Amino acid sequence: MPIPAPFVSRAMEIEEAWIDYNGHLNMAYYNVLFDRCSDEAFEMMGMGPDYVKERRLTIYTAEVHVCYVQELHLDHKVTVSFQLLDHDEKRLRAYQEIRHLDGWLAATSETLSLHVDMAGPKVAPFPADVLARVEAMRAAHAALPMPERAGRSIGIRLSRLEPQSNRR
């Protein structure tokens, strides 16, 4: 079965309970959408719910960087993409985008995930069969360009009005 590049989730709806007092999707639920897509991609790589039950191995999130680009509202439907940017024997680096079904970008996320042995719990290498599936997805995604928003950091540029003595 060919691996989609990038992997794209099924269409998802915004749930009413996710709308905040500002009338748009609360920031926490963007992460729920990203996570649901990741679950679908992890399943494709052999790390779904049965993986945890049968092998006592799973994925933990170590770090996430989310950029909120455009508001989502209750009547919106979205898809979420998953691009595997890099991996080693214990970690995955992925980039995701939430897009409205009309195609516009709502949010991006870059994630570092750890492969975990639940017996510890402790970070552990992927088993050979799962690593082969991870490598297959990475190979399929290697032809994709590096996303412009990947690798971003947070910072505030110094104001021109700030005294010179406060600058480093």
Side-chain angles (χ1 to χ4, degrees):
M1 176 169 129
I3 298 170
F7 174 85
V8 178
S9 73
R10 60 183 168 69
M12 295 185 254
E13 295 185 9
I14 306 303
E15 297 182 21
E16 189 170 357
W18 298 354
I19 302 301
D20 66 17
Y21 54 81
N22 294 312
H24 60 252
L25 185 63
N26 178 276
M27 62 182 278
Y29 294 101
Y30 285 81
N31 286 301
V32 170
L33 294 167
F34 286 126
D35 193 49
R36 288 181 177 177
C37 174
S38 292
D39 285 347
E40 291 180 32
F42 292 154
E43 177 84 36
M44 180 173 265
M45 290 184 279
M47 296 179 283
D50 291 340
Y51 188 62
V52 178
K53 290 177 193 166
E54 296 167 8
R55 296 171 83 169
R56 302 285 298 145
L57 299 168
T58 193
I59 294 291
Y60 280 13
T61 301
E63 185 174 342
V64 178
H65 185 148
V66 176
C67 293
Y68 303 94
V69 179
Q70 190 166 337
E71 294 177 2
L72 289 170
H73 298 276
L74 182 59
D75 61 338
H76 291 165
K77 290 182 176 59
V78 300
T79 58
V80 183
S81 63
F82 178 99
Q83 180 179 347
L84 186 58
L85 298 177
D86 199 4
H87 73 87
D88 64 16
E89 69 279 354
K90 299 177 183 179
R91 298 176 297 179
L92 303 170
R93 177 181 170 215
Y95 173 81
Q96 294 181 270
E97 294 183 343
I98 297 175
R99 289 195 174 269
H100 187 277
L101 287 185
D102 288 343
W104 51 264
L105 181 65
T108 65
S109 177
E110 188 172 359
T111 307
L112 180 67
S113 300
L114 307 174
H115 185 257
V116 173
D117 180 340
M118 297 298 288
K122 63 182 178 191
V123 178
F126 296 103
D129 62 315
V130 172
L131 182 58
R133 292 173 113 179
V134 168
E135 289 172 344
M137 182 171 281
R138 177 65 190 116
H141 293 187
L144 296 170
M146 179 61 73
E148 183 179 318
R149 290 179 165 269
R152 294 174 60 119
S153 64
I154 297 173
I156 299 174
R157 286 186 253 164
L158 292 176
S159 168
R160 293 177 209 233
L161 302 176
E162 186 174 343
Q164 189 72 25
S165 62
N166 290 346
R167 296 184 185 183
R168 292 185 181 194

